[in-house]
Amino acid sequence: MNPITLSASAARHLNRLSADAGHPILLRVAVEGGGCSGFQYQLDLVEAPEDGDTVVAYDGAQALIDEVSAPLLAGSIIDYVEELVGAQFKILNPQAKSSCGCGVSFSI
């Protein structure tokens, strides 16, 4: 399975959130059924991993992927982008064959 990676930009943002909070903040990334294209990403900020999580780390920051979501995210880059319309974590998934206009849901 291709590795899931955390970009430098995402790591910087998570490290900034952790510094502001005074304790580690981790990004949980999951794939759920739904959305207008079949699957959708669920992103949450958490303080600790759960049993079975895959930990993706870069420069001290960590993202967590559950066992069910990991194959659907294989080869993905977890990024953080700042644009005119706002800033957000973004999943660059090479397996996604199509996505909706908002970029939240996708199909494989």
Side-chain angles (χ1 to χ4, degrees), residues 36-76:
C36 48
S37 294
F39 293 103
Q40 61 188 359
Y41 300 114
Q42 177 68 41
L43 306 175
D44 292 301
L45 297 174
V46 299
E47 295 181 14
E50 294 179 6
D51 289 341
D53 280 345
T54 296
V55 177
V56 178
Y58 182 85
D59 196 27
Q62 295 182 347
L64 309 170
I65 316 294
D66 65 79
E67 296 176 71
V68 174
S69 300
L72 297 169
L73 291 165
S76 293

Side-chain angles (χ1 to χ4, degrees), residues 46-107:
V46 299
E47 295 181 14
E50 294 179 6
D51 289 341
D53 280 345
T54 296
V55 177
V56 178
Y58 182 85
D59 196 27
Q62 295 182 347
L64 309 170
I65 316 294
D66 65 79
E67 296 176 71
V68 174
S69 300
L72 297 169
L73 291 165
S76 293
I77 298 169
I78 302 166
D79 197 12
Y80 184 78
V81 295
E82 295 183 35
E83 301 169 331
L84 289 175
V85 294
Q88 65 181 342
F89 287 102
K90 191 170 193 172
I91 310 302
L92 307 171
N93 188 342
Q95 295 187 71
K97 301 295 184 222
S98 65
S99 64
C100 65
C102 65
V104 173
S105 68
F106 65 100
S107 65

